[in-house]
Amino acid sequence: MQVTRRAVLAGAGALAVRPAWAATPPRLELEPRRGEVQLGPEGTGPARIWGYGGAVPGPEIRVRQGGRVAATLVNGIDQPTTVHWHGIRIDNAMDGAGHLTQMPVEPGARFDYDFTVPDAGTYWYHPHFQSWEQVARGLYGPLIVEEAEPPEVDRDLVLILDDWRLTAEGGLDEESFGSGHDWSHAGRLGNWPTVNGLPQPEIPVKMGERLRLRLISAANATVMVPRLDGMRAWRIAVDGQPAPVVEQAGEFLLAPGQRVDFIADIVAEDARLMLAGRENFVMATFPAEGEMRREALGMPAPLPPNPLAEPADGPDALAAEIVMEGGAMAWLAEAEVGGMVEGVSGTLDGRALAGAGLFWALNGVAGMPEAPFLDLERGRTVKLSFENRTRFPHVMHLHGHHVREAETGLWRDSVLVMPDSRLETAFVADNPGDWMLHCHMLEHQAGGMATWFRVA
Ligand code: C2O
Ligand code: CU
């Protein structure tokens, strides 16, 4: 099994010629079900996972910009589930946000997703119900939207990074699911990283080969600090959206849910994807056998822009704020409990909140409120600030839209807000519907850091 998946990985470039963007796309079946894969290091046994088609990651969905994705969720696990298409500026009804845009799909039941993809870039899909458990068990896959004219590369490689919490035998640590410590601290941090569900895969390359690397973090909570060794790399996109081309020197941050695309030229025989934060853990190796070209190709051209509306910095812009509070070392004294949380309501003190599994609040509310925190007319520019008054970093993800970070100028759908700091963004609320805004550290989301806004 591993050998086949490795071969698939190595041959991924062949996918580029597949006419996935034909007018009527074939309907794909996405079946979350149980599977068994080798995740851990040599000498450990297989792990029982949940994956789309029983594998992790799920199938790569590749479509041309402006094309359609048609996928049927066939629920083969014994929990309700949904599919959320992370980062896609999608038709609201297809967003997969459990209890907000659709009812979770019961075991054995089906749901048809069908939507068009307005932006080229690197996206991914995962459940949006009980995601702290379902994503951690392996339910996720890549969704790649190709530019009308993709940049010229020798190979286009998707690398989904994950950070598993494994037992010494190599199985999933199931005992710690729902741990109050994880929920009130940094979330479910793992102890064993993988790439495309593989432990330290070997991806053969050639000297001088030019790769497009699409990195996706499917980790529950870990902010990864990757580094590319033996490659000359330029960052060309973040969170799917084209970014000014800059040469990547050294390590960078990749928070849960975030993506980054590089054009990377192989310049050493032992190129590697490293995790700098983890005492230089080797995530993947790229052994070079043979030579593809000798001359350096130089800095790549920027990607063509996506059709995103530019926020207007006029008097009509609405200033809005998300204040993040709670968690260990800054415990909530009290908070209002969001009306979508079953079984509890009203204002609770910290102890009662903790008893309900709620440790975090956004604007004084723990959990999904019954009413949106913003009710916007379509086309309104929102200047959205995030203020982190907790002791932990949070990666705030909003659905259906991308925001422009004031400081970096980058478009993102998932912004990393460091402890005791503030981050300013702006976006145009031009996609009608009800959209979630939550921390993508999935235990934080479940522990209260979730809200939503409405665009008329
Ligand atoms: Cu990747 Cu609301 O999720
Ligand atoms: Cu968080």
Side-chain angles (χ1 to χ4, degrees):
M1 171 121 171
Q2 220 180 95
V3 172
T4 334
R5 287 159 73 216
R6 259 184 204 166
V8 166
L9 187 86
L15 290 174
V17 297
R18 196 177 62 193
W21 49 86
T24 317
R27 183 161 277 282
L28 178 82
E29 261 195 16
L30 282 180
E31 187 189 4
R33 56 178 160 84
R34 288 168 188 278
E36 220 175 63
V37 297
Q38 178 69 33
L39 291 176
E42 252 175 48
T44 61
R48 286 200 293 268
I49 55 103
W50 297 355
Y52 293 105
V56 63
E60 177 177 306
I61 303 175
R62 215 171 245 266
V63 59
R64 175 69 70 92
Q65 181 170 17
R68 265 176 62 203
V69 173
T72 298
L73 165 64
V74 183
N75 187 358
I77 55 172
D78 52 20
Q79 284 180 6
T81 191
T82 67
V83 183
H84 168 59
W85 313 89
H86 182 123
I88 301 290
R89 295 191 298 131
I90 201 170
D91 170 4
N92 190 242
M94 298 288 117
D95 193 42
H99 289 297
L100 185 65
T101 64
Q102 71 169 94
M103 286 307 288
V105 178
E106 294 297 326
R110 309 162 71 89
F111 189 91
D112 288 341
Y113 293 95
D114 198 329
F115 55 93
T116 57
V117 287
D119 300 326
T122 301
Y123 305 94
W124 63 302
Y125 59 91
H126 64 78
H128 220 292
F129 177 82
Q130 191 102 341
S131 48
W132 54 271
E133 177 181 0
Q134 296 187 6
V135 174
R137 287 185 183 273
L139 284 167
Y140 56 79
L143 170 52
I144 306 304
V145 183
E146 294 187 335
E147 296 83 11
E149 282 174 48
E152 247 178 78
V153 293
D154 298 310
R155 243 187 311 166
D156 181 328
L157 291 179
V158 178
L159 306 175
I160 298 207
L161 317 187
D162 199 355
D163 183 35
W164 304 81
R165 192 181 289 179
L166 300 184
T167 64
E169 295 75 45
L172 279 195
D173 180 338
E174 299 184 331
E175 247 151 55
S176 61
F177 275 127
S179 136
H181 185 274
D182 288 349
W183 285 34
S184 59
H185 290 70
R188 183 180 175 87
L189 303 175
N191 55 14
W192 184 252
T194 60
V195 177
N196 296 344
L198 300 169
Q200 304 183 297
E202 234 171 66
I203 302 165
V205 293
K206 293 203 157 39
M207 282 299 282
E209 186 169 359
R210 170 158 276 195
L211 309 172
R212 177 177 187 161
L213 299 179
R214 301 172 183 265
L215 272 55
I216 305 171
S217 172
N220 269 45
T222 305
V223 179
M224 295 190 184
V225 192
R227 194 181 68 228
L228 297 166
D229 285 351
M231 302 187 194
R232 182 158 189 216
W234 292 266
R235 184 198 67 190
I236 54 166
V238 294
D239 286 2
Q241 301 297 344
V245 177
V246 290
E247 186 164 357
Q248 183 64 49
E251 60 201 50
F252 53 94
L253 297 179
L254 192 67
Q258 293 186 326
R259 289 88 64 213
V260 59
D261 288 31
F262 293 107
I263 298 285
D265 296 345
I266 300 293
V267 296
E269 272 162 13
D270 58 348
R272 294 162 169 209
L273 170 61
M274 307 292 293
L275 273 192
R278 201 183 270 269
E279 287 162 31
N280 280 330
F281 182 88
V282 180
M283 281 201 99
T285 56
F286 299 79
E289 289 147 27
E291 188 173 71
M292 188 164 279
R293 65 174 63 77
R294 208 154 270 178
E295 73 284 9
L297 291 173
M299 184 165 178
L303 293 170
N306 279 324
L308 287 170
E310 193 61 52
D313 194 11
D316 289 348
L318 179 79
E321 195 178 41
I322 287 279
V323 177
M324 297 121 87
E325 290 175 306
M329 297 170 282
W331 303 98
L332 293 173
E334 58 165 43
E336 204 184 303
V337 175
M340 280 195 198
V341 179
E342 285 160 286
V344 271
S345 63
T347 300
L348 300 186
D349 65 19
R351 179 179 292 261
L353 287 167
L358 296 168
F359 301 95
W360 308 91
L362 298 178
N363 296 348
V365 184
M368 286 286 281
E370 213 138 11
F373 95 98
L374 283 177
D375 201 337
L376 302 160
E377 70 261 36
R378 189 171 176 186
R380 191 77 188 264
T381 288
V382 184
K383 299 181 87 173
L384 183 60
S385 323
F386 295 90
E387 182 158 320
N388 183 353
R389 298 188 187 156
T390 79
R391 302 287 175 272
F392 296 86
H394 301 285
V395 55
M396 301 303 293
H397 168 52
L398 76 174
H399 287 206
H401 297 79
H402 279 69
V403 296
R404 201 193 252 292
E405 278 184 353
E407 200 187 318
T408 62
L410 296 173
W411 288 103
R412 283 200 170 279
D413 58 52
S414 306
V415 297
L416 182 61
V417 192
M418 300 313 271
D420 287 314
S421 68
R422 209 178 148 81
L423 189 127
E424 315 284 346
T425 72
F427 74 104
V428 179
D430 57 358
N431 196 358
D434 294 345
W435 303 106
M436 285 196 71
L437 191 166
H438 63 87
C439 181
H440 218 288
M441 285 142 176
L442 300 173
E443 291 70 30
H444 293 173
Q445 177 191 352
M449 293 194 108
T451 188
W452 61 288
F453 61 101
R454 174 168 284 164
V455 181

